[in-house]
Amino acid sequence: MSTPRKTLPLAGSERAPLEGAREIGPANPNETVDITIRLRSRAGKKPILNSEEFTKPIEKRTILSRKEFEQRHGADPESIVRIESFAREHKLIVKEKSPGRRTVILSGTVAAMNQAFGVALKEYDHPTGKYRGRTGAIQLPAELHDVVEGVFGLDNRPQAKPHFRRRHGRAGARAATVNLSYTPVQVATLYDYPTGVDGSGECIALVELGGGYNPTDLSTYWSQLKLSKTPTVSAVSVGNGSNNPTGDPNGPDGEVMLDIEVCGAIAPGAKIVAYFAENTDAGFLNAITTAVHDSTNNPSVLSISWGGPESSWTQQAMTSMDEAFQSAAAMGLTVCVAAGDDGSTDGVTDGLNHVDFPASSPNVLACGGTELVASGNTITNETVWNETANNEGATGGGVSDVFPLPSYQNGVGVPPSANPGKHVGRGVPDVAGDADPSTGYVTRVDGQPDVIGGTSAVAPLWAGLIVLINESIGKPAGFVNPLLYPDASAGGIFNDITSGNNGAYSAGPGWDACTGLGSPLGSQIAAVLRTPATSTQAKRAGT
């Protein structure tokens, strides 16, 4: 009789049922499940990012090609061989393997997955719908622990939500000032975006975890805006995801169309590619890594408008996604992420404050929200977006419970967390832009005109700015945070938002946990990113 193989729990893989979920019973043992195994880098624990590299002026940065990155930081082929052997042993099929993405996708029955990973998959009923879940940690053979970083997809609960808000309208005295709407082109003008460039030669990647777009709606929208060019939009299916419009403007179609229409209107010469995946931790991770490593479309900016409170994620998921963002930076991609629409609690009802992930990753540009009031081409007032009293949301922001304070935020005034213990961590957001639906964006969704806001609009707003800058520089700006913070301290490249709050945190001069450094002065930001950094800037950025 053979001795059972020793297994160990995979650190950071622990799961608990969703709050309010009811266990129905064991998952169907014959159901087919696809799971994603994220492998460790062949470089071991050597960091992907060299912090000094990103304080250099953009033209002097070393940017790795996707092939170079795979050779330096991809999965070791031997690691993939070991996973293939594990799969054969447990009657699992290898559906996909990508050394660059450090990803192997396996397929098999629930029964086989239970046996392979030491879990007991069950069906749960939740107010948001049924899902397949597990509790506790995933178990792995001891000999795989040095090569596996995470295992995703056993649990298929919805992992994230879109960060857009449709306008409900306002009555009374405030209606004259807040029932405003702008096209993305008008917002770009108010924020002084660079002119003479349109994003030609650039590609913007969008992560979408549901819904879809209708090309006819887009054609109508571009025509109404009288754009000089018509943006090229295409879809990439990741796993079982696809461009699948629901026909419901209140659903995820609103997110997809908002993302495309905002960045497409600002950079009509750019190619826009939407990566559609299932709304699970596996789907989200695979969409990110597929976009980042896409050598066919070669995106230089990734815009993400989906997320959830840090407390809703496993540590393995946050680690793997954060490393994917480090990979993006090494290959010259800027990642813009919405900071959330539920104020400083991020919608959690435990009495504490929370920030949204992936916006809390220190390797992304986290985008918060404002209320923007303008007359003609002039901003007359800009404050923190907070309409919780009207059930229209508020910008996310605060202090991460997971990620430490990054060097580029040293000395900018990130406060201790408002939670007990006063934890010091990564401050969210980095930047801001118009997000209040009462001063929202003119859009078209499922055949109907609409006005939409939310920090979901701010991520593609900044993505559009970055590709305009990329075109003007002739090189991708990549990870911009270490360059923006020093210059923001000197003033003149942001509209500093000093009025308002998002719950536990208030705006004030300089960086704050509501609107970060502020909303963009686009042409000035472009000039800074085109200008070699001074030694003083480099010191401030943390070298």
Side-chain angles (χ1 to χ4, degrees):
M1 185 175 178
S2 61
T3 304
R5 179 179 295 183
K6 181 181 180 182
T7 63
L8 297 170
L10 177 60
S13 65
E14 298 81 5
R15 273 289 201 192
L18 278 172
E19 185 178 353
R22 178 179 62 87
E23 182 183 320
I24 299 172
N28 178 356
N30 299 314
E31 178 188 355
T32 299
V33 175
D34 290 349
I35 62 104
T36 295
I37 295 180
R38 172 81 168 173
L39 299 171
R40 299 191 190 281
S41 166
R42 67 194 307 163
K45 295 185 178 180
K46 182 180 179 181
I48 295 172
L49 293 186
N50 176 347
S51 60
E52 292 185 4
E53 189 67 38
F54 293 95
T55 58
K56 294 179 182 177
I58 288 167
E59 70 272 13
K60 293 186 178 181
R61 288 182 177 180
T62 299
I63 300 297
L64 298 180
S65 70
R66 287 171 171 85
K67 190 64 178 177
E68 288 171 331
F69 183 89
E70 179 179 329
Q71 292 169 346
R72 295 189 193 184
H73 298 286
D76 191 312
E78 174 58 27
S79 298
I80 295 178
V81 170
R82 288 160 71 177
I83 296 301
E84 290 174 319
S85 175
F86 170 79
R88 286 192 299 271
E89 180 182 342
H90 294 282
K91 298 181 174 56
L92 304 176
I93 298 169
V94 178
K95 286 188 68 173
E96 186 179 335
K97 49 188 177 180
S98 171
R101 293 171 54 211
R102 293 162 42 194
T103 295
V104 179
I105 296 178
L106 304 180
S107 182
T109 64
V110 162
M113 294 294 178
N114 282 341
Q115 197 275 333
F117 295 102
V119 295
L121 296 177
K122 299 181 178 180
E123 291 291 333
Y124 291 87
D125 192 16
H126 187 263
T128 59
K130 289 183 172 63
Y131 74 93
R132 183 184 65 246
R134 60 179 178 83
T135 57
I138 291 168
Q139 304 291 320
L140 282 179
E143 62 268 25
L144 290 183
H145 272 261
D146 62 334
V147 301
V148 174
E149 181 177 273
V151 177
F152 308 96
L154 293 166
D155 185 307
N156 69 349
R157 72 185 65 189
Q159 183 60 63
K161 63 180 179 180
H163 292 316
F164 77 98
R165 294 291 181 111
R166 298 180 69 216
R167 174 192 284 177
H168 299 311
R170 196 81 84 262
R174 291 198 68 209
T177 57
V178 297
N179 281 337
L180 302 172
S181 61
Y182 312 100
T183 68
V185 176
Q186 289 173 320
V187 176
T189 299
L190 290 168
Y191 287 143
D192 189 27
Y193 276 26
T195 58
V197 285
D198 59 14
S200 293
E202 302 295 326
C203 175
I204 301 172
L206 306 173
V207 165
E208 303 296 354
L209 303 178
Y213 66 87
N214 185 321
T216 301
D217 275 347
L218 291 177
S219 295
T220 300
Y221 186 73
W222 308 139
S223 177
Q224 289 171 341
L225 293 184
K226 298 181 172 57
L227 298 180
S228 58
K229 289 184 178 180
T230 300
T232 301
V233 181
S234 61
V236 171
S237 293
V238 180
N240 295 319
S242 64
N243 175 28
N244 185 24
T246 65
D248 178 7
N250 292 302
D253 294 355
E255 180 58 69
V256 177
M257 295 298 282
L258 178 68
D259 288 345
I260 294 171
E261 290 171 354
V262 170
C263 65
I266 291 168
K271 179 168 59 174
I272 299 169
V273 181
Y275 297 78
F276 287 93
E278 292 180 294
N279 185 10
T280 64
D281 57 2
F284 206 158
L285 175 63
N286 287 333
I288 291 167
T289 59
T290 298
V292 168
H293 293 273
D294 186 348
S295 57
T296 299
N297 293 300
N298 293 310
S300 62
V301 180
L302 172 59
S303 179
I304 300 174
S305 294
W306 300 69
E310 286 182 328
S311 58
S312 70
W313 295 83
T314 60
Q315 184 59 56
Q316 65 168 359
M318 288 188 282
T319 297
S320 290
M321 290 174 67
D322 179 58
E323 287 191 358
F325 298 138
Q326 293 179 45
S327 304
M331 291 181 281
L333 278 81
T334 308
V335 183
C336 305
V337 184
D341 295 352
D342 291 291
S344 62
T345 67
D346 206 27
V348 182
T349 57
D350 61 1
L352 299 174
N353 295 290
H354 298 265
V355 291
D356 208 74
F357 181 82
S360 65
S361 163
N363 297 296
V364 307
L365 188 71
C367 302
T370 69
E371 179 188 279
L372 179 71
V373 179
S375 177
N377 291 331
T378 302
I379 297 173
T380 57
N381 191 41
E382 191 167 15
T383 58
V384 175
W385 167 39
N386 187 342
E387 289 294 343
T388 51
N390 298 298
N391 198 31
E392 283 196 351
T395 183
V399 177
S400 172
D401 289 326
V402 176
F403 297 99
L405 186 76
S407 58
Y408 58 77
Q409 286 189 324
N410 284 336
V412 302
V414 176
S417 170
N419 291 331
K422 304 295 183 182
H423 173 74
V424 176
R426 149 77 158 143
V428 179
D430 297 299
V431 296
D434 183 32
D436 191 329
S438 68
T439 61
Y441 297 72
V442 175
T443 59
R444 186 174 183 84
V445 182
D446 294 325
Q448 299 297 322
D450 207 346
V451 176
I452 302 179
T455 55
S456 278
V458 189
L461 178 76
W462 272 87
L465 173 60
I466 297 296
V467 295
L468 297 181
I469 294 172
N470 288 351
E471 181 190 355
S472 68
I473 295 175
K475 185 176 181 179
F479 186 41
V480 296
N481 300 31
L483 298 180
L484 293 181
Y485 273 84
D487 281 282
S489 299
I493 66 171
F494 287 93
N495 299 302
D496 191 8
I497 313 303
T498 59
S499 176
N501 68 79
N502 66 351
Y505 302 95
S506 295
W511 186 92
D512 57 63
C514 301
T515 57
L517 299 169
S519 62
L521 292 168
S523 294
Q524 287 82 346
I525 290 172
V528 162
L529 295 182
R530 283 194 297 261
T531 302
T534 65
S535 59
T536 301
Q537 288 172 325
K539 286 177 182 177
R540 284 201 205 127
T543 57

